Amino acid sequence: MEFKMIRAEDALAAAADQITRAQQNKGLRPTIAGFFDESTNTVTYVVSDPTSKEAAIIDSVLDFEAASGRTSYGSADRVIEYINSNNLKVMWHIETHAHADHISAAPYLQEKLGGKLAIGREIIRVQDVFGKLFNAGTDFERDGSQFDHLFVDGETFKIGELEGIALHVPGHTPADMAFIIGDAAFVGDTIFMPDFGTARADFPGGDARQLFQSIRRLLSLPDATRLFLCHDYKAPGRDEFAWETTVKQQREDNVHVKDGVTEDEFVEMRNSRDATLAMPALIMPSVQVNIRGGRLPEPEDNGVSYIKIPVNAV
């Protein structure tokens, strides 16, 4: 794996230069397949280099039935079928952040396909907060060691001949990262389709002001940059799910953060809106598993893993 560090203050310019090169050279643009899981409104992406066939899987989904506590692999197996039918070689399993609405299938996919698991360096802050909330004990390491690689702001990488760069975009959570691959940006939960707006910022460590700054950082990329979103919920009046947009479309039309919306206006809107939102249905199992790199808590003496629900603690 090739990595290079770019100073944080130069990372945005480096990302813009990379996108421009890819827009000018078709061979530097990725092939992208999206797999939408309607039960969690999550999109998993397979991003591949058409020349070398090397690939990354971004934000995978493990099927989980909350009432029974049963896991299954239908969503992940669809990804495996695509990988195998296109003769792709998986190099990366990338998480844009520790999700609160679905469980990652990365360990299952690693076992079947190989590749390294990566997330942003600030996962250690999330592990510390939620490790305490769930009373995970001293056996739970809070150093990101459950992942093979921790990306930092401005770190570059390759997928075959494709150029990639990681940008830290906190606000939804402290660990959110956007991954720019060729001319495409995979932005996680920072922003949604223009008619739906932006992500919430009221989880532990979240910050609406920081989210605004992160979004405006992303919207400073070239207008034609393709943005691939982690979720869609179909805004009122729209009948189809959608998860691809552009910087230009967001700047012109995003109902929360288009050009002309001030930081203070956004913060007031976001904080007021977040106060009305219920917690995600799968937040308790998702966070406990995802801070462990998608692995279930260690089985107890009867061989069964258990998900905790803290009572009157959130």
Side-chain angles (χ1 to χ4, degrees), residues 81-94:
E81 181 181 2
Y82 175 84
I83 294 286
N84 290 337
S85 64
N86 287 277
N87 297 311
L88 302 179
K89 180 181 179 181
V90 175
M91 308 303 292
W92 290 105
H93 302 268
I94 293 174

Side-chain angles (χ1 to χ4, degrees), residues 83-115:
I83 294 286
N84 290 337
S85 64
N86 287 277
N87 297 311
L88 302 179
K89 180 181 179 181
V90 175
M91 308 303 292
W92 290 105
H93 302 268
I94 293 174
E95 303 290 348
T96 55
H97 62 295
H99 305 275
D101 42 32
H102 71 272
I103 294 174
S104 170
Y108 175 75
L109 291 169
Q110 277 188 292
E111 179 184 347
K112 300 293 185 181
L113 301 169

Side-chain angles (χ1 to χ4, degrees), residues 15 18-19 28-35 43-49 55-60 94-97 99 151 157 159 162-169 175-192 214 218 221 225-231 243-247:
Q18 173 191 300
I19 290 164
L28 297 177
R29 298 178 211 159
T31 298
I32 301 166
F35 299 83
V43 191
T44 297
Y45 295 101
V46 177
V47 186
S48 60
D49 171 25
I57 300 172
I58 301 177
D59 291 335
S60 60
I94 293 174
E95 303 290 348
T96 55
H97 62 295
H99 305 275
F151 278 102
F157 60 100
I159 301 173
L162 300 177
E163 298 177 283
I165 186 168
L167 298 180
H168 188 210
V169 287
D176 280 68
M177 301 290 288
F179 293 89
I180 320 300
I181 302 172
D183 66 332
F186 299 86
V187 299
D189 285 14
T190 54
I191 199 166
F192 298 138
S214 292
L218 289 173
L221 294 169
T225 304
R226 296 183 290 162
L227 303 181
F228 290 86
L229 319 177
C230 189
H231 298 288
W243 47 82
E244 180 181 351
T245 179
T246 67
V247 164

Side-chain angles (χ1 to χ4, degrees), residues 268-291:
E268 181 179 359
M269 177 282 300
R270 191 68 265 170
N271 287 341
S272 297
R273 184 180 176 89
D274 289 350
T276 70
L277 299 178
M279 285 291 103
L282 295 182
I283 187 170
M284 294 302 175
S286 296
V287 172
Q288 283 176 80
V289 174
N290 292 337
I291 60 175

